[in-house]
Amino acid sequence: MQASVTPSVLFVCVHNAGRSQMAAGFLRALAGDRVQVFSAGSEPADRLNPVAVAAMAEVGIDITANEPRILTTDAVKAADVVITMGCGDTCPIFPGKRYEDWDLTDPAGLPIDEVRPIRDEIRARVEALVTELTS
């Protein structure tokens, strides 16, 4: 009998302050310990987008303890799935990894009414990803 391996997902966005943090928050909440979750960016901001934090709080997910992190080659190597957020950030490419680009509007500078649909689209994509990775 073969031991199961927990899949790992890395969400990447330039500033790692909005979209990638919301995606990571949803994946942690929806998959629990069935998936390892990471997020990073090539030019991390000094803090999370407060509107993204507020939008996630509205759906019961607290991402206030998260911090923007720098994208490293090691993080990409360690991930099974690497998902960019439509922000033009590039990742090192390694054979055998699954890469996706989710074309999502950047919530930076937007009011919460315009961030909610972005959040909801991220949730739908993460729900589909959870189904794929844990079925």
Side-chain angles (χ1 to χ4, degrees):
M1 189 167 173
Q2 208 172 12
S4 65
V5 177
T6 304
S8 59
V9 176
L10 171 64
F11 293 104
V12 178
C13 195
V14 174
H15 299 295
N16 189 223
R19 293 167 285 189
S20 55
Q21 292 285 352
M22 288 191 287
F26 275 125
L27 187 53
R28 283 186 189 101
L30 297 171
D33 61 1
R34 296 177 296 163
V35 178
Q36 292 180 322
V37 183
F38 306 97
S39 70
S42 59
E43 298 174 23
D46 59 353
R47 65 187 178 106
L48 296 187
N49 176 337
V51 180
V53 171
M56 293 299 286
E58 288 181 347
V59 294
I61 298 176
D62 181 3
I63 61 171
T64 56
N66 298 3
E67 295 178 4
R69 301 203 181 275
I70 188 75
L71 177 65
T72 65
T73 300
D74 288 342
V76 178
K77 282 182 183 175
D80 297 307
V81 181
V82 179
I83 300 174
T84 54
M85 304 275 113
C87 51
D89 218 353
T90 56
C91 299
I93 303 294
F94 295 101
K97 303 222 173 282
R98 174 177 162 187
Y99 292 88
E100 290 185 26
D101 183 54
W102 293 357
D103 189 12
L104 299 161
T105 301
D106 186 352
L110 297 179
I112 196 156
D113 288 347
E114 293 178 36
V115 173
R116 287 182 185 117
I118 299 166
R119 175 203 62 203
D120 296 344
E121 182 177 352
I122 291 169
R123 180 183 196 131
R125 289 174 183 252
V126 169
E127 287 172 342
L129 182 65
V130 169
T131 300
E132 290 173 31
L133 295 177
T134 62
S135 297

